[in-house]
Amino acid sequence: MTLRISVVGCGYLGATHAACMAELGFDVLGLDVDRERIDALSDGNVPFYEPGLEPLLRKHVESGRLSFTTSYAEAAEFADVHFVCVSTPQRDGDFAADLSHVHRVVDELAPLLTRPCVVVGKSTVPAGTAEGLAYRIAELSPVDDAAELAWNPEFLREGHAVEDTLRPDRLVFGVAGPNRRGEPGRAEDVLREIYADPIAAGTPVVVSDYPTAELAKVAANAFLATKISFINAMAELCEATGGDVTVLADAIGHDPRIGRRFLNAGLGFGGGCLPKDIRAFMARAGELGVGEALTFLREVDAINQRRRERVVEIAGELLTRPWPGSRIAVLGAAFKPDSDDIRDSPALNVAGRLHLHGAHVTVYDPQAMDGARRLWPTLHYADSVPDACAGAHVVLVLTEWQQFREMDPYLLADVVEQPAIVDARNCLNPAKWRAAGWTYRGVGR
Ligand code: UDX
């Protein structure tokens, strides 16, 4: 019989996972405590912007393979496998991860697990969490160790979430050792069955213990953050020496040991994952008594924060008038293109700083306007690039949307007051913009 799946937590990760599990051929029940979200998803509406997700959701809601509920009892009754996809945000007032959602899910679900099943954690958690949850499930579940826990970290990128879930570049299965009776668990086999399609298509599987699986996620994000901050540190060196960091990235990126991807210098990283994950990782290392191992991540964070101020400085250098009274167009509010996510968005952070200097800041983003308006109601907003740039003394490109990459510098020169542009993502062709009469400034070039 085909496995039935529940997905607990239908935010970004969970909604995507639920739709993709249905696409892989399983009957799926999504669970969330947010009634509004469940109603939207049940109607086939995705409450955030993710390319390709809504058609997939609709397809499977209509086929009846995917449905949603707010009831834990229903999910427990329905599924053989329960994926835990709730968020683990940064705790208020410190660096550590807030695990209250994960704990609540286990406390609600475990007592209702009355038949053999596998609970699969996907949320990003500090190393050591899974072991504690496994004990808790054994303690609360009426079926004792027939309810197993596995850890299967999620590596999906926003903007590519569907593709990353259906065709992941690797799968990590953190599983428990043999049970008290010396019998091996079923979790690995169950996960292999669920991911049979991607595995058949060549996705490698790494099987590990719990802590290694938990670490795999945060270590990957720490590495990616370090790679970005490394190239941004090189951007500082390029600015000091007159070098060009984009060419430098090509020069070192051709070395396959280094690789060119994630070597784009600019405004640095933001979003709901990288910043909070490296901080939670440092906090956890401190708790484990190995804080020194990760002190370099403080530097990674500091380099990243410096980019934001540096872009403001460059904008100031281009202005020929004081901040108050200057009109600035900000193109981009999302933390990266193809997303409406503004969590820790470097773009909005810069827009806010410019505003606090006294400038009149007008923001345009193809998808993130609603969120931006809520977070920064004191900024001005326009419905298009030309409207945002009308009368501007300087234009800043802060998120590298395709639409911004393709802007015509000649047309835009006609609407601004002064043709000056800061390309904070190094995504424009400087020669083209200069030829059209613009003063062009990238970062680290
Ligand atoms: C990241 C990880 O990539 C993913 O594996 C994990 O599951 C969640 O966190 P995401 O937050 O969606 O994914 O974004 P990502 O594409 O990694 O970009 C993160 C940030 O780094 C963005 O703000 C982006 O603009 C920035 N970035 C990325 C750079 O500044 N330079 C680069 O070269 C690449």
Side-chain angles (χ1 to χ4, degrees):
M1 207 181 75
T2 318
L3 293 169
R4 297 207 296 183
I5 293 176
S6 92
V7 176
V8 187
C10 291
Y12 195 83
L13 165 59
T16 307
H17 194 68
C20 289
M21 290 300 105
E23 177 70 7
L24 289 181
F26 299 98
D27 284 334
V28 182
L29 183 62
L31 162 66
D32 202 292
V33 290
D34 182 340
R35 162 58 62 193
E36 235 174 87
R37 177 168 291 250
I38 287 302
D39 288 345
L41 292 166
S42 303
D43 290 341
N45 298 320
V46 176
F48 48 85
Y49 177 73
E50 178 61 39
L53 181 55
E54 201 157 271
L56 200 67
L57 177 86
R58 293 222 158 137
K59 173 174 160 195
H60 294 297
V61 167
E62 276 162 26
S63 74
R65 214 185 271 166
L66 175 58
S67 49
F68 293 92
T69 183
T70 54
S71 156
Y72 274 96
E74 209 180 307
E77 168 68 30
F78 174 83
D80 309 293
V81 183
H82 302 277
F83 282 97
V84 179
C85 295
V86 291
S87 64
T88 52
Q90 188 173 333
R91 218 156 53 191
D92 251 354
D94 70 44
F95 270 15
D98 174 356
L99 295 176
S100 55
H101 300 303
V102 175
H103 287 140
R104 200 170 312 136
V105 169
V106 166
D107 285 355
E108 294 263 1
L109 187 63
L112 305 169
L113 300 175
T114 51
R115 62 188 161 102
C117 61
V118 183
V119 176
V120 185
K122 288 197 88 62
S123 306
T124 302
V125 293
T129 305
E131 199 185 336
L133 296 176
Y135 279 119
R136 188 82 183 137
I137 291 171
E139 192 178 51
L140 295 178
S141 160
V143 293
D144 189 34
D145 58 11
E148 281 181 45
L149 179 76
W151 214 261
N152 169 220
E154 182 53 63
F155 300 101
L156 65 78
R157 299 160 298 164
E158 295 190 16
H160 305 268
V162 170
E163 184 196 324
D164 285 354
T165 308
L166 293 175
R167 282 172 289 279
D169 46 23
R170 80 290 211 185
L171 286 160
V172 177
F173 300 159
V175 294
N179 66 16
R180 276 176 298 192
R181 298 173 297 284
E183 301 152 354
R186 303 158 47 236
E188 182 186 337
D189 290 343
V190 166
L191 285 168
R192 284 186 185 276
E193 189 175 335
I194 289 174
Y195 293 111
D197 284 1
I199 293 171
T203 300
V205 176
V206 178
V207 181
S208 74
D209 47 34
Y210 291 148
T212 308
E214 294 167 313
L215 283 169
K217 173 61 191 276
V218 276
N221 277 355
F223 193 89
L224 294 171
T226 304
K227 204 170 176 189
I228 298 168
S229 278
F230 175 84
I231 201 65
N232 280 327
M234 295 306 110
E236 294 183 24
L237 269 294
C238 284
E239 281 172 16
T241 56
D244 182 334
V245 74
T246 63
V247 181
L248 177 67
D250 292 341
I252 63 174
H254 281 302
D255 182 334
R257 292 171 302 174
I258 296 174
R260 180 63 179 80
R261 293 174 71 190
F262 263 67
L263 274 187
N264 294 321
L267 189 48
F269 59 83
C273 288
L274 259 42
K276 74 139 173 99
D277 285 355
I278 62 169
R279 291 174 195 152
F281 201 13
M282 285 187 267
R284 184 63 184 141
E287 287 166 8
L288 292 166
V290 290
E292 266 184 15
L294 297 186
T295 44
F296 73 96
L297 287 179
R298 271 183 207 286
E299 209 46 55
V300 166
D301 206 359
I303 294 168
N304 193 52
Q305 295 298 326
R306 270 208 301 279
R307 301 319 294 161
R308 303 173 180 193
E309 193 48 41
R310 180 68 193 125
V311 167
V312 173
E313 267 170 34
I314 297 174
E317 287 163 19
L318 287 187
L319 279 178
T320 51
R321 64 189 64 231
W323 289 110
S326 59
R327 302 176 64 86
I328 298 185
V330 161
L331 302 182
F335 85 102
K336 69 173 199 180
D338 296 322
S339 169
D340 63 356
D341 196 340
I342 51 154
R343 285 174 296 170
D344 201 353
S345 166
L348 273 186
N349 184 290
V350 167
R353 284 173 199 235
L354 295 166
H355 168 72
L356 295 174
H357 275 298
H360 181 282
V361 180
T362 307
V363 179
Y364 169 71
D365 186 282
Q367 291 295 337
M369 299 289 275
D370 291 346
R373 271 199 190 93
R374 273 196 298 275
L375 192 68
W376 275 100
T378 44
L379 300 175
H380 300 269
Y381 293 90
D383 291 333
S384 68
V385 171
D387 284 354
C389 295
H393 301 115
V394 60
V395 176
L396 282 80
V397 178
L398 301 183
T399 311
E400 67 278 33
W401 285 95
Q402 193 61 28
Q403 184 187 348
F404 303 156
R405 292 172 180 273
E406 290 167 356
M407 290 184 304
D408 182 334
Y410 290 94
L411 290 181
L412 207 60
D414 287 341
V415 305
V416 296
E417 174 75 24
Q418 197 182 317
I421 189 156
V422 182
D423 175 12
R425 294 290 183 182
N426 290 335
C427 63
L428 305 176
N429 178 341
K432 194 170 132 192
W433 284 76
R434 289 191 178 120
W438 288 76
T439 306
Y440 169 95
R441 289 284 299 273
V443 283
R445 61 198 312 202

